Amino acid sequence: MSLHVVVIGAGAIGRLYGGWLAVGGARVSMLARGAAVAELADGLTLIGPGRRDRVRFEQVTADAASLAPADAVIVATKLYDLEAAGKLAARLQAPVLGLQNGVSAHLALRPFHTPDRILVGPVYSPAVVSGAGEVTYPGGDKRIAVGNPFGPAHPVAARLVACWRAAGVAAALSNDIMRALWVKYLAVVTNAALTSLARLPAGVIYRDPALRTLARQSIAEAVAVGRAEGVALTDADAEAAFTFLAQLPPETVASMRQDLDAGRPLELDAFSGHLVRRGAALGVPTPFHAVVHACLMPFVDGARARR
C-alpha cells in the first residue's frame, strides 16, 4: 500500500509540501482546524510557474483520533506551536518530520519521540494560501532536505524523498541536517530580525550601509554560535547568506515581520532568542540579537496579549 502521511498544520507550508507528496503518489491526510477543514475537504490546487496540480486528500479532519494509521507525520507549524504539535503527533505512533526554519525543532520534538524516529528539514520553498483550496509557490527553491540530527535517518525518510522526487521536487536525504539547517538559519534569523526591528523591506535594508553592517554582524553572531555548537560553518556560508539577502526582491519582508504587522505571535524565541540563550551558555557574545530580542519581546505573544 502507498505511503500514508499525516500533515499537522494546514498553513501554506503544510499544504505545499503535503500537496507535493500527494502529487508524488502518497496518500496524504490533513489534520487541520477552523476554516481549513472545509477549505481542503474538496482537495487542493497547487499553483506554480507554468504548472497547476490538483490533489485530493485521504482525510481532512480536526479529530486526530479519527485518522487512519500513518507511516509518517509531518509537523508544519510555527515554531512556537511545535511542542504542542509534537505531543499530538506522538499519539499517531509514527516517525515525525518537523518542517521549520530554525535550528531547534529537534529539541522541541525530543520529549515526545525517540531519537531514531525524529526527522527535521528546513523550508526552502516560500508559499502563500492564495484562495480557498489553493496554495501558490513562486518556483525557484522547489526542494527539501531531510535528516535525523541524532543519528541515521528512519527508513521512512527515503520513502518521503521518493514521493517528493516523483512530484518534481529536488528532495534529498542529508547526513548532516544540522549544517543544512544552520546554513539556512544564517539568512532567516537575520532577515527576521532586521525587517521586524527596522520595519523596512529588504530593498531598503540591504542597500543602506549602516543596516548592511548590522546584517553582517547578525550573520557573524549566528556563525559563531553555530561553530560553538559544533556545526562546520564556513566564511563562504556567511558570505552566501549575505549575498542571498542582498538579492531578495525589494518588497520582501520576513514572515515574522508579517506576523508582527498582523498582531500575531512571533517566532522570536526560536530565532534571535535561541541565539542569545545558546550564546550565553557557550560563552559567545550576541549583542545584536540581544537587542533584537529585547526590543521585540513585548510583541512576542501578539496584539491580543498587549491589550
Side-chain angles (χ1 to χ4, degrees):
M1 186 174 290
S2 61
L3 184 72
H4 181 217
V5 182
V6 171
V7 177
I8 299 177
I13 297 304
R15 295 183 191 204
L16 180 64
Y17 282 92
W20 277 336
L21 284 174
V23 172
R27 295 181 297 122
V28 178
S29 294
M30 301 293 294
L31 186 59
R33 59 188 179 188
V37 177
E39 288 176 12
L40 299 174
D42 292 328
L44 174 71
T45 302
L46 291 80
I47 304 170
R51 180 166 180 168
R52 293 174 70 95
D53 293 289
R54 182 71 181 173
V55 299
R56 291 189 66 87
F57 296 114
E58 187 86 356
Q59 293 176 264
V60 181
T61 180
D63 179 15
S66 71
L67 289 164
D71 298 300
V73 180
I74 292 178
V75 179
T77 64
K78 293 284 191 177
L79 284 157
Y80 49 72
D81 283 333
L82 186 55
E83 184 175 337
K87 185 176 182 179
L88 178 60
R91 300 181 191 173
L92 302 176
Q93 300 182 341
V96 62
L97 166 59
L99 282 183
Q100 284 83 24
N101 279 327
V103 293
S104 58
H106 62 298
L107 302 177
L109 295 172
R110 179 62 187 90
F112 313 107
H113 302 268
T114 58
D116 61 304
R117 292 162 70 84
I118 293 175
L119 298 164
V120 292
V123 175
Y124 291 113
S125 299
V128 295
V129 175
S130 50
E134 288 186 356
V135 64
T136 298
Y137 60 96
D141 274 355
K142 189 177 178 182
R143 62 184 173 121
I144 185 171
V146 298
N148 181 357
F150 299 107
H154 190 279
V156 79
R159 299 179 68 189
L160 290 167
V161 165
C163 285
W164 273 314
R165 286 178 176 172
V169 179
L173 288 174
S174 172
N175 293 324
D176 192 357
I177 195 63
M178 289 309 298
R179 173 173 156 74
L181 290 168
W182 273 91
V183 166
K184 179 76 188 295
Y185 186 60
L186 300 180
V188 168
V189 73
T190 298
N191 202 44
L194 283 172
T195 61
S196 297
L197 193 59
R199 306 297 206 276
L200 294 169
V204 177
I205 289 171
Y206 304 112
R207 287 167 175 76
D208 180 274
L211 293 174
R212 284 166 64 92
T213 297
L214 286 180
R216 289 193 179 278
Q217 181 179 342
S218 168
I219 293 168
E221 289 181 9
V223 167
V225 173
R227 286 173 174 170
E229 294 275 27
V231 181
L233 296 170
T234 67
D235 292 346
D237 293 328
E239 192 58 33
F242 183 82
T243 299
F244 170 81
L245 293 171
Q247 294 175 349
L248 286 172
E251 71 279 4
T252 300
V253 297
S255 62
M256 192 170 83
R257 162 69 188 280
Q258 295 171 15
D259 290 338
L260 179 64
D261 290 347
R264 295 187 291 261
L266 307 181
E267 293 180 293
L268 179 67
D269 189 63
F271 287 170
S272 291
H274 182 77
L275 279 183
V276 171
R277 288 191 303 276
R278 293 307 299 154
L282 296 164
V284 178
T286 55
F288 170 73
H289 285 283
V291 169
V292 172
H293 189 248
C295 289
L296 293 178
M297 270 301 293
F299 305 91
V300 74
D301 291 323
R304 187 173 300 175
R306 300 196 303 275
R307 292 172 182 167

